[in-house]
Amino acid sequence: MTGTDLALATSLLQSGHLVAIPTETVYGLAANALDATAVSKIYNAKQRPSFNPLIIHIASADEVVKYVTEFSPLAQQLAKAFWPGSLTIVMPKNDTVPDLVTAGLPNVALRVPKHPITLQLLSLLNFPLAAPSANISNTVSPTTAKRVAQSLGDSASYILDGGKCDVGVESTIVSVLENQVTLLREGGISKEQIEAAIGVHVRTQADEKITAPGQLKKHYATQKPLFLVDDMQDALRNHQTKKVSVLLFETMETTENQIPYLLSSDYNLSEIANNLFEMMHLADEDNSDFILAERCISEGIGRAINDRLLRASVR
Ligand code: TXA
Ligand code: MG
């Protein structure tokens, strides 16, 4: 069932049920993060491997100390700069957080989402919400309530409808451990923005071997093959006879056999991110044989867009 009934969502969560919630990035499939039985339902519903930990959503930065052994000055600075918003911070967990949430890791991922309905929901609850993206594992993440229902069916007791997600790609994940900030997943907030806000170098996985365990190579997959090309004009010339869906970042001429999806008419990165998953869903549903997408420029949120497209294209 989908709707906007906050009282219903609250009571379902209080009694250990799953509720899909809107955030500014993508929809999440939420449960009481402090109730291991409720959390186990998330893993089942998503068919998610138990080694892939969940993000805990909290109402404000004031709540962090309840779940970590250390809220370092650096992590506080990040929270102050970006919360509510699309930054997830990984910190050393304390015993309040069930091991199931962190898949046995000694660290927990926390964020304050920037969505009025979910912030209101969090303020009505006396526990935080564990929530991965509200889709079956390894499929394209949902940015509308309708896509949640399509992917999860009835396994969410309720889908709280908050409209289309603003950002459209998942949060950026950084760990703040031993006074080092390390980028674990590209997302809604760019590395450049983070470095500018805290004046500290953000390490990347090229510098170091820590990864978010959920960064499986294949992810965000469409049913149809998706091919990532370096030059769309070129690719369109070479594929004039096959029926093909094309994800375009700017206006381009296509032929009869080419089904265009205009993510942005003028290469606007936020717009591209905002439309990415929904257009991938649509391209997956049309009558083409495969999907073509162009590699995005590697700056700001463009890197998160590339990351998602690359994973979608791995077969
Ligand atoms: O924008 C988002 O982050 C959305 C919304 C719903 O908040 N959530 C989301 O969750 O994308 P999910 O589960 O699809 O991706 C969470 C990622 C996974 O790659 C997981 O491995 C990583 O976060 N993660 C969670 N806890 C972690 C931890 N303790 N250490 C390292 N990585 C962690
Ligand atoms: Mg996900």
Side-chain angles (χ1 to χ4, degrees):
M1 200 183 16
T2 300
T4 54
D5 189 342
L6 265 177
L8 177 59
T10 307
S11 77
L12 285 167
L13 287 164
Q14 277 163 345
S15 41
H17 294 290
L18 303 184
V19 172
I21 55 167
T23 83
E24 83 283 19
T25 57
V26 300
Y27 274 74
L29 180 62
N32 178 349
L34 307 182
D35 175 352
T37 310
V39 170
S40 71
K41 293 179 187 169
I42 296 179
Y43 285 92
N44 285 335
K46 274 184 65 85
Q47 299 163 31
R48 183 180 178 100
S50 58
F51 57 78
N52 192 2
L54 308 177
I55 295 172
I56 291 187
H57 298 70
I58 52 179
S60 79
D62 297 340
E63 311 251 302
V64 171
V65 291
K66 297 183 188 167
Y67 310 111
V68 303
T69 55
E70 195 206 357
F71 191 17
S72 70
L74 204 49
Q76 290 184 40
Q77 246 183 301
L78 282 169
K80 196 154 185 237
F82 296 107
W83 285 354
S86 320
L87 183 74
T88 295
I89 308 177
V90 173
M91 289 173 268
K93 87 175 200 67
N94 70 18
D95 292 340
T96 308
V97 180
D99 286 330
L100 191 60
V101 171
T102 64
L105 292 174
N107 308 314
V108 61
L110 294 166
R111 93 173 180 103
V112 179
K114 191 176 182 172
H115 194 293
I117 294 177
T118 291
L119 284 172
Q120 210 183 331
L121 176 68
L122 285 167
S123 74
L124 291 169
L125 296 167
N126 60 1
F127 49 80
L129 293 174
S133 52
N135 55 314
I136 300 291
S137 278
N138 297 343
T139 63
V140 181
S141 297
T143 52
T144 62
K146 180 186 139 200
R147 295 296 177 190
V148 176
Q150 239 174 28
S151 186
L152 294 176
D154 289 336
S155 54
S157 298
Y158 190 61
I159 300 170
L160 196 54
D161 193 348
K164 189 182 177 195
C165 301
D166 275 347
V167 176
V169 293
E170 292 86 347
S171 62
T172 301
I173 306 179
V174 294
S175 67
V176 182
L177 300 168
E178 289 163 5
N179 228 25
Q180 297 253 348
V181 184
T182 307
L183 184 70
L184 303 182
R185 176 175 76 182
E186 307 267 7
I189 288 170
S190 68
K191 177 171 178 270
E192 294 92 320
Q193 281 174 288
I194 298 171
E195 287 180 332
I198 57 174
V200 166
H201 171 69
V202 174
R203 294 158 64 112
T204 57
Q205 290 170 47
D207 300 326
E208 208 176 349
K209 277 283 158 258
I210 306 180
T211 57
Q215 295 297 70
L216 309 172
K217 249 190 160 171
K218 181 182 158 188
H219 210 124
Y220 310 103
T222 45
Q223 304 291 314
K224 284 178 198 171
L226 182 148
F227 296 103
L228 201 51
V229 301
D230 287 318
D231 186 336
M232 187 55 91
Q233 299 275 16
D234 239 33
L236 291 180
R237 268 194 300 277
N238 294 334
H239 292 287
Q240 297 202 9
T241 52
K242 292 221 179 72
K243 193 89 180 158
V244 47
S245 313
V246 288
L247 305 184
L248 296 176
F249 301 160
E250 58 197 331
T251 312
M252 223 175 262
E253 220 166 288
T254 49
T255 63
E256 210 174 280
N257 279 329
Q258 298 167 343
I259 309 170
Y261 293 92
L262 199 57
L263 283 70
S264 168
S265 55
D266 59 355
Y267 220 104
N268 177 315
L269 291 179
S270 321
E271 229 169 64
I272 296 170
N274 179 268
N275 287 316
L276 181 67
F277 290 148
E278 181 56 22
M279 299 270 179
M280 282 168 71
H281 274 119
L282 291 172
D284 216 10
E285 289 170 348
D286 68 22
N287 64 350
S288 71
D289 300 318
F290 59 92
I291 306 169
L292 283 181
E294 190 175 34
R295 207 178 290 277
C296 198
I297 54 166
S298 187
E299 71 180 48
I301 200 172
R303 279 198 297 272
I305 294 165
N306 271 340
D307 171 81
R308 305 307 187 266
L309 285 172
L310 189 64
R311 283 173 213 284
S313 71
V314 172
R315 302 266 139 194

